[in-house]
């Protein structure tokens, strides 16, 4: 693969979402990613369906392109020996085993760094390697609950609600990616790798951004606001004549334009609404006045009028509408790959648009151990030895 990370080899021992999402991005950027599973496969997401494409779940497919598949039994000494041989020619190791597992196998950073001082070693876990919860397993749903995400999602009527995707896994994968690439940049200067400790809990709390800051500054516990914004108005959903839309007025100038857009110039002169701080004090009154206007016309008309005046707004689209959007297609956010099983698979494209070192889509998500023989051959292991290892359930 060509790309900004071409020449970098990543040993990927991660499963499910956060780790595989991180390593897929590295693969999109040109790194050689070797996905290691136990013989027979142990990435749970392979079975998380329907839907499936000839036995491969859509969930598994979404985060595993641009990887080669290798099987190894890491509970065996031979399996661990092969992994150590693979690490010798690698730059990055990423895993998301429970804290203490790699130490038990003698594959933790402290055990490896003397022989591989240049290795960037990233451990993704639920709660990190330190602290009273470090031994617990972490799952996105539980982390959303613990981190405060659910407490601020939904409305007072709905009660606590999780985000519609595994958002803490996604955030963790992105943070891990940033950390790995930063460590590689630093290694170029120092010649040394380092250990990275990334947790879902930390990533989720960091992802609270302004809501966390509001609490830390004021001491007030945030409430569930549904589709309202805690600091800005009008910044919410509104009913229209034929549906709903989002209006996202971000400053006082935009509010002046919005008042003209909905043919309500009187709102610009009303002292209750001139400044955002005043609008926040009279949010309910303002909402009623805006709603009276917006319910007179269809969503499409309001979207057109608002966009003409540069007012942030949006229709509320179903997923099928998203992938039919001409803009989404123009941005190449839908790609097709030929899978090893003979099927064409549609996937979400990379959001990384780079002018010179573009992302590439070289390898479809691997079948269990699809490239085992190829990788072992590169390590100097013969076909005969591979057969013995298979019979011993090492690979």
């Amino acid at each position: 693969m060509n790309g900004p990370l071409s020449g970098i080899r990543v040993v990927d021992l991660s499963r499910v979402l956060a780790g595989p999402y991180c390593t897929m991005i590295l693969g999109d950027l040109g790194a050689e990613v070797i996905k290691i599973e136990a013989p027979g496969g142990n990435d749970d997401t392979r079975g998380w369906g329907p839907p499936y494409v000839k036995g491969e779940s859509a969930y598994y497919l979404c985060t595993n392109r641009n990887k080669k598949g290798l099987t190894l039994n890491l509970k065996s000494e031979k399996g661990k020996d092969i992994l150590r041989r693979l690490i010798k020619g690698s730059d990055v190791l990423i895993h998301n085993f429970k804290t203490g597992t790699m130490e038990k196998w003698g594959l933790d950073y402290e055990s490896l760094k003397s022989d591989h001082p240049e290795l960037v070693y990233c451990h993704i876990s639920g709660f990190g390697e330190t602290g009273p919860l470090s031994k617990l397993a972490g799952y996105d749903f539980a982390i959303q609950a613990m981190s405060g995400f659910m407490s601020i999602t939904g409305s007072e009527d709905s009660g606590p609600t999780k985000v519609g995707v595994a958002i803490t896994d996604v955030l963790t994968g992105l943070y891990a990616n940033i950390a790995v690439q930063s460590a590689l940049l630093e290694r170029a200067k120092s010649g040394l790798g380092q250990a990275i400790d990334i947790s879902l809990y930390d990533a989720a709390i960091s992802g609270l951004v302004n809501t966390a800051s509001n609490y830390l500054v004021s001491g007030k516990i945030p409430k569930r606001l549904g589709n309202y914004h805690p600091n800005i108005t009008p910044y919410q959903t509104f009913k229209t004549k034929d549906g709903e839309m989002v209006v996202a007025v971000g400053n006082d100038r935009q509010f002046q334009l919005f008042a003209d857009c909905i043919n309500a110039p009187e709102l610009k002169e009303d002292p209750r609404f001139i400044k955002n701080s005043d609008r926040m004090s009279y949010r309910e009154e303002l909402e009623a006045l805006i709603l009276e206007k917006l319910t007179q016309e269809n969503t499409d008309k309001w979207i057109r009028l608002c966009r003409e005046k540069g007012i942030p707004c949006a229709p509320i689209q179903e997923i099928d509408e998203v992938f039919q959007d001409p803009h989404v297609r123009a941005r190449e956010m839908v790609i097709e790959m030929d899978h090893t099983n003979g099927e064409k698979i549609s996937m979400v494209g990379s959001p990384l648009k780079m002018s010179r070192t573009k992302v590439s889509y070289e390898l479809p998500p691997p079948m269990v151990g699809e490239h085992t023989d190829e990788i072992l051959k590169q390590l100097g292991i013969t076909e005969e030895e591979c057969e013995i290892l298979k019979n011993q359930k090492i690979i």
Side-chain angles (χ1 to χ4, degrees):
M1 297 181 189
N2 294 317
L5 295 182
S6 181
I8 297 295
R9 174 185 279 178
V10 178
V11 175
D12 180 10
L13 291 165
S14 67
R15 305 163 315 288
V16 187
L17 184 53
Y21 187 56
C22 170
T23 54
M24 182 180 74
I25 297 170
L26 296 173
D28 287 352
L29 292 169
E32 178 188 11
V33 180
I34 299 175
K35 181 182 179 69
I36 299 177
E37 297 180 75
N42 68 328
D43 190 327
D44 293 338
T45 63
R46 289 183 182 274
W48 287 7
Y52 295 95
V53 178
K54 286 191 175 178
E56 295 283 28
S57 74
Y59 199 121
Y60 167 78
L61 295 175
C62 82
T63 57
N64 284 290
R65 68 171 171 249
N66 282 335
K67 303 178 187 182
K68 295 178 179 179
L70 167 69
T71 54
L72 279 181
N73 180 357
L74 295 180
K75 294 180 180 179
S76 70
E77 289 305 315
K78 287 185 179 179
K80 285 182 276 195
D81 178 62
I82 293 171
L83 178 63
R84 291 189 184 98
R85 291 167 69 176
L86 184 62
I87 291 170
K88 186 175 182 181
S90 300
D91 302 277
V92 180
L93 184 147
I94 297 177
H95 78 88
N96 62 352
F97 290 113
K98 285 177 63 176
T99 298
T101 300
M102 293 290 269
E103 286 80 359
K104 180 176 66 176
W105 291 342
L107 296 170
D108 56 298
Y109 178 68
E110 291 301 319
S111 299
L112 295 173
K113 72 174 183 179
S114 59
D115 290 331
H116 310 287
E118 74 293 338
L119 182 66
V120 173
Y121 186 106
C122 179
H123 179 202
I124 297 172
S125 63
F127 297 94
E129 295 184 352
T130 59
L133 302 180
S134 61
K135 301 295 184 183
L136 293 181
Y139 291 86
D140 173 86
F141 196 4
I143 299 296
Q144 286 200 43
M146 289 186 65
S147 65
F149 255 97
M150 287 180 65
S151 76
I152 58 170
T153 305
S155 65
E156 289 302 310
D157 291 334
S158 73
T161 304
K162 72 180 182 69
V163 179
V165 296
I167 190 65
T168 67
D169 275 326
V170 173
L171 286 171
T172 304
L174 293 172
Y175 279 124
N177 202 286
I178 294 167
V180 166
Q181 293 194 56
S182 297
L184 289 171
L185 281 172
E186 194 279 335
R187 188 185 71 170
K189 294 180 285 187
S190 68
L192 297 173
Q194 58 184 301
I196 299 167
D197 173 11
I198 299 280
S199 86
L200 273 70
Y201 200 22
D202 292 349
I205 292 169
S206 176
L208 293 173
V209 288
N210 60 295
T211 300
S213 186
N214 287 348
Y215 166 72
L216 293 172
V217 169
S218 71
K220 294 181 179 179
I221 299 174
K223 295 182 179 179
R224 288 182 294 280
L225 297 175
N227 293 320
Y228 295 97
H229 194 285
N231 306 107
I232 314 170
T233 194
Y235 199 102
Q236 63 193 78
T237 55
F238 284 101
K239 290 186 181 300
T240 64
K241 187 175 182 179
D242 66 343
E244 286 188 272
M245 66 179 288
V246 163
V247 173
V249 170
N251 55 50
D252 296 334
R253 182 188 63 80
Q254 288 178 357
F255 180 73
Q256 300 279 308
L257 294 170
F258 180 64
D260 289 333
C261 178
I262 63 174
N263 196 28
E266 67 277 6
L267 298 181
K268 297 191 298 183
E269 309 301 327
D270 193 317
R272 297 174 298 173
F273 309 137
I274 294 174
K275 293 187 175 297
N276 180 67
S277 56
D278 297 319
R279 293 195 295 276
M280 288 294 293
S281 298
Y282 295 96
R283 186 199 296 250
E284 291 183 3
E285 292 88 342
L286 177 59
E287 179 181 4
L289 293 169
I290 294 173
L291 192 60
E292 181 182 351
K293 295 290 186 178
L294 292 182
T295 50
Q296 294 176 16
E297 301 288 351
N298 292 340
T299 300
D300 285 350
K301 180 175 181 179
W302 289 126
I303 295 293
R304 177 175 57 79
L305 293 174
C306 285
R307 286 178 174 173
E308 286 174 357
K309 290 187 175 293
I311 300 161
C313 64
I316 300 173
Q317 298 188 137
E318 298 285 349
I319 298 296
D320 62 334
E321 295 175 294
V322 173
F323 289 112
Q324 291 165 12
D325 187 334
H327 185 79
V328 172
R329 295 285 175 169
R331 295 288 293 171
E332 299 180 335
M333 287 306 296
V334 182
I335 65 165
E336 279 197 342
M337 300 190 77
D338 293 316
H339 197 274
T340 308
N341 62 21
E343 295 288 324
K344 278 197 178 294
I345 54 173
S346 295
M347 303 184 73
V348 175
S350 173
L352 305 177
K353 316 297 183 187
M354 304 175 72
S355 66
R356 189 167 51 81
T357 54
K358 299 180 184 297
V359 301
S360 60
Y361 310 109
E362 303 291 337
L363 297 171
M367 308 287 279
V368 175
E370 180 179 338
H371 304 91
T372 296
D373 290 351
E374 171 192 331
I375 295 166
L376 295 186
K377 184 178 180 181
Q378 292 172 357
L379 295 178
I381 297 173
T382 66
E383 289 184 19
E384 292 77 12
E385 289 172 318
C386 283
E387 285 303 314
I388 294 171
L389 292 170
K390 288 174 185 175
N391 292 333
Q392 294 175 336
K393 300 189 186 308
I394 304 300
I395 60 175

